[in-house]
Amino acid sequence: MRVGDVAVPHRIDAGEVGLWQHELVGPGVAATLDPNPLLLVDVLPDPAAFALASGLRPSGEGARGRDTESVWDQRGRIDRGDALFVVTTVADLSDGAAADGTASVRAEFRNDVYQAGTGRHVGSATGVMLFVSGAS
Amino acid sequence: MTASFEVGHAFAVHGPLEPDAELLRRWTAAHAAAVEASATAAEGAATVPGSWKAAMLRALLPQWLERTPGLASFGVRHHAVDQPGEPLTFGGSVREVQVDEAGRRAVTCDLWCRAAGGALTTTARVTALLDDPAPAQLPLDALRNALRVGEDVAAFTYRVESNDVLRLNDALGVGRDDDTVPTTYFALLDPVERRDLDLDGFLEELALPRTGGGNAFNEVIYERPLQVGDVLTVTTRYTDVYEKPGSRGTLLFRVRINEMRDDRGRLVATSRCGHVLGFRVASGQGAAS
């Protein structure tokens, strides 16, 4: 995995992701959520996990990642039912060391989200993960 | 909607919640389903996923802000790991309130998740736009001004490329090796469809539910067929903007003409294209939500 690597773009449905999220935060909270507009965090609640599932993973055997930071920067409106395309890239990689001296890699993934119909950029969701080789 | 958001205003603390391992397993599995892969699910729910804590903070925003927030930037940092079944509380306060040039308030909040001992395990900063009411009608005058209806608004020069012709013929079933330029190629010489020209992008930001959209019609009158190697300058002019009721809400049409001239200034073709967007306006909004 190198900086600039791009995963195969994914198409997602803003309606589907919103539904399961609202259910899982609990019925009391979900009852206060309006269907529209959606925030980008509703569509991509875990930017780093999305990148990993898209195939962008460090090459080290047994490397496990820990989610450390996420940033959603929304630029356009998203409504339930919108079809979106997500283009995921490796934005940054840097070597480091865990507290016990084990080598680690900090990986920053950027997901750019576009309306499928118009191609309009509606925002980016960035996730940072810390990978430690062989960590459990 | 009477909330006053003064700097320092603290939101009602939510919780404690004790998310159990089963709920968190469903959360991670739902992620995996959403991205059509199993990577996250395979990692299980040995700890409380940071994404679940972030989603809780996001889900509490309508309660705390007393309305559905609009466009937002949202940053989350995870400082420590939480274990399933341990009590977590969620809260926050107003950090800053700004009013933009359109009169909308942008409220910046500092949010947090605390573990049982009071330690902050996740913090977040969100800036949400409030007061963005849906307009009662489509902004036709603003759109006509933006599109400068009746004026030539842009000119772009394109070359008819052999590779594009071959791919188009292949897609049309004509044959991969045929480089005769099909009439359909005229449709490719449209600066709007090529995303070279975007004068009405603000329509995407209207606070109105969208009900659909796409090409309404395309027609072309040409003086001669295109040939590979033609260099054409395409000048675009919007000619009409109008709305009419449809089965999917109010339909907004924008009609444009593309005049295509070769490198000697001779007219090659004129195309006329209409694009439509559907909106749920005024009384129809209740049905949409």
Side-chain angles (χ1 to χ4, degrees):
Chain A
M1 188 171 77
R2 292 179 295 188
V3 173
D5 281 358
V6 182
V8 174
H10 277 70
R11 179 178 166 134
I12 59 175
D13 185 317
E16 292 177 12
V17 292
L19 287 176
W20 58 254
Q21 179 177 12
H22 293 176
E23 175 194 354
L24 290 169
V25 296
V29 175
T32 68
L33 295 171
D34 285 338
N36 289 313
L38 294 173
L39 299 186
L40 193 51
V41 64
D42 301 328
V43 178
L44 282 180
D46 194 333
F50 190 92
L52 295 181
S54 299
L56 296 176
R57 277 186 166 267
S59 55
E61 282 294 320
R64 295 292 303 269
R66 185 168 69 82
D67 186 11
T68 63
E69 187 177 346
S70 300
V71 176
W72 297 265
D73 183 16
Q74 190 162 355
R75 301 291 173 173
R77 181 181 172 105
I78 304 172
D79 285 318
R80 186 177 304 283
D82 284 355
L84 306 168
F85 272 107
V86 185
V87 180
T88 305
T89 56
V90 179
D92 191 40
L93 286 173
S94 57
D95 294 326
D100 64 357
T102 309
S104 66
V105 174
R106 178 189 179 277
E108 182 176 317
F109 302 102
R110 177 184 167 106
N111 302 283
D112 282 291
V113 185
Y114 302 86
Q115 290 280 0
T118 63
R120 188 170 183 80
H121 187 236
V122 292
S124 63
T126 302
V128 178
M129 290 202 94
L130 195 64
F131 292 96
V132 180
S133 297
S136 57
Chain B
M1 303 301 177
T2 57
S4 62
F5 298 107
E6 295 178 356
V7 173
H9 169 74
F11 302 127
V13 173
H14 185 77
L17 303 178
E18 298 175 358
D20 61 27
E22 173 57 25
L23 173 75
L24 299 174
R25 264 194 293 275
R26 287 172 56 210
W27 174 258
T28 50
H31 274 299
V35 296
E36 301 171 355
S38 59
T40 50
E43 292 172 1
T47 61
V48 178
S51 58
W52 183 82
K53 293 187 284 183
M56 278 304 304
L57 291 169
R58 176 275 178 263
L60 288 163
L61 283 177
Q63 285 186 26
W64 287 337
L65 299 176
E66 296 187 12
R67 72 203 69 197
T68 298
L71 289 179
S73 65
F74 199 162
V76 177
R77 302 191 81 161
H78 305 297
H79 309 285
V81 170
D82 295 299
Q83 302 301 320
E86 294 184 350
L88 300 173
T89 53
F90 299 83
S93 60
V94 176
R95 176 184 180 84
E96 185 177 23
V97 180
Q98 291 187 315
V99 179
D100 70 9
E101 60 275 9
R104 299 176 301 186
R105 283 181 297 174
V107 178
T108 300
C109 310
D110 288 329
L111 310 178
W112 48 259
C113 169
R114 289 183 190 275
L120 288 171
T121 59
T122 291
T123 55
R125 181 164 296 170
V126 59
T127 298
L129 280 181
L130 307 179
D131 307 327
D132 193 12
Q137 58 189 17
L138 293 172
L140 294 181
D141 288 340
L143 181 58
R144 290 187 182 105
N145 288 336
L147 298 178
R148 290 149 53 196
V149 171
E151 299 177 32
D152 292 346
V153 290
F156 295 87
T157 299
Y158 304 117
R159 186 178 188 276
V160 178
E161 300 288 356
S162 173
N163 188 52
D164 294 339
V165 172
L166 293 174
R167 284 196 301 171
L168 181 57
N169 279 335
D170 189 32
L172 294 172
V174 174
R176 181 175 288 275
D177 299 326
D178 190 338
D179 68 352
T180 304
V181 184
T183 310
T184 316
Y185 200 99
F186 284 110
L188 304 185
L189 300 173
D190 179 5
V192 174
E193 288 297 332
R194 297 172 77 108
R195 317 246 189 263
D196 290 329
L197 181 62
D198 178 13
L199 298 177
D200 54 6
F202 72 91
L203 293 175
E204 300 288 335
E205 311 306 330
L206 285 182
L208 286 169
R210 285 267 296 276
T211 59
N215 278 321
F217 58 84
N218 292 289
E219 57 191 34
V220 61
I221 299 172
Y222 57 95
E223 308 295 326
R224 66 164 174 84
L226 291 171
Q227 295 175 335
V228 169
D230 275 344
V231 175
L232 300 170
T233 296
V234 182
T235 303
T236 301
R237 180 173 71 255
Y238 281 88
T239 59
D240 204 0
V241 169
Y242 60 93
E243 66 178 13
K244 67 177 188 180
S247 60
R248 303 187 67 188
T250 302
L251 305 179
L252 174 61
F253 290 83
R254 292 96 74 222
V255 181
R256 62 188 181 276
I257 284 177
N258 292 316
E259 193 177 83
M260 307 172 205
R261 294 184 179 273
D262 65 15
D263 51 3
R264 297 174 68 179
R266 293 175 301 202
L267 183 66
V268 174
T270 304
S271 68
R272 182 169 173 269
C273 314
H275 190 274
V276 62
L277 288 173
F279 294 93
R280 190 73 62 195
V281 181
S283 60
Q285 284 188 45
S289 59

